[in-house]
Amino acid sequence: ADESERVGRFMRTTTSVRAGEALLLEPPSFLSPAPGKELDALVSRLCDRQATDAEAATQPDGRLPLPWLLALSIVDTLVAGATSEAMASLGELRGDPAQWTAGARRFWGVLSRRTQSKLGESQVGDIFAKIAMNAHDCGGRRAGLFVVGSLAEHSCAPNAFKEVVVVKPEDMAAVRAL
């Protein structure tokens, strides 16, 4: 991606494209687990069960908000000490932590003391803001973070759009020309 003062961050093609043509397919940098054993294990590993149950009870469907599940996936990667291309790509995304302070504090509150001791609250707030601004519903009560695809979503003068499509074995973000 390039960046200019006039239009912000952008991508450009080097060849002509037709409307609707796929410009790229991108796998998710992060994908939340589907409901079930994997999600239950993630919540057990990272969260305070009592706080998690209390937060879920405030939701209309009685479950944690979908973006929180994606945030837990990222927190799990951080707590495990993993340094990956996906973690590096997270730094490419932007978010406004001040805008999402209340939600980030509520999310911080469901994390266990053990998890909190391995992370800083401001680090979690930054992750939460990036997810709030860039996460996409992948269906099946899953959320994904697509770094390049997110660039297509934040243009004041869009010439492309992003859609999440199922391409086996995982969801992909397709950026298509308008």
Side-chain angles (χ1 to χ4, degrees):
D2 291 321
E3 188 164 1
S4 81
E5 202 170 296
R6 187 173 67 82
V7 297
R9 294 191 301 173
F10 65 95
M11 296 180 291
R12 71 175 100 211
T13 64
T14 56
T15 62
S16 297
V17 293
R18 295 180 317 255
E21 184 176 344
L23 303 172
L24 68 90
L25 281 176
E26 176 188 17
S29 294
F30 292 96
L31 186 64
S32 65
K37 290 180 183 180
E38 185 183 357
L39 176 59
D40 292 344
L42 182 67
V43 170
S44 293
R45 199 167 47 249
L46 299 174
C47 298
D48 174 275
R49 179 51 75 180
Q50 211 171 14
T52 303
D53 291 345
E55 181 60 44
T58 68
Q59 301 300 310
D61 64 359
R63 301 187 284 190
L64 291 176
L66 186 55
W68 287 32
L69 306 182
L70 182 56
L72 285 173
S73 295
I74 296 171
V75 166
D76 192 41
T77 302
L78 284 170
V79 167
T83 54
S84 65
E85 189 175 315
M87 288 307 299
S89 69
L90 189 61
E92 296 293 316
L93 295 174
R94 295 183 182 165
D96 182 1
Q99 180 181 356
W100 301 100
T101 301
R105 281 194 182 131
R106 285 183 25 235
F107 177 73
W108 177 258
V110 302
L111 297 176
S112 69
R113 297 248 185 252
R114 182 174 162 265
T115 302
Q116 288 177 350
S117 72
K118 297 180 179 187
L119 304 166
E121 188 171 359
S122 64
Q123 182 182 26
V124 170
D126 183 58
I127 291 166
F128 193 88
K130 289 176 180 183
I131 289 169
M133 297 293 294
N134 298 286
H136 301 282
D137 186 340
C138 293
R141 194 133 164 83
R142 299 179 85 187
L145 202 55
F146 303 91
V147 175
V148 178
S150 291
L151 291 173
E153 290 287 298
H154 296 290
S155 175
C156 294
N159 58 6
F161 67 97
K162 182 198 62 47
E163 64 181 336
V164 176
V165 295
V166 176
V167 178
K168 298 295 178 196
E170 62 188 357
D171 298 330
M172 302 284 272
V175 176
R176 299 185 183 278
L178 286 176

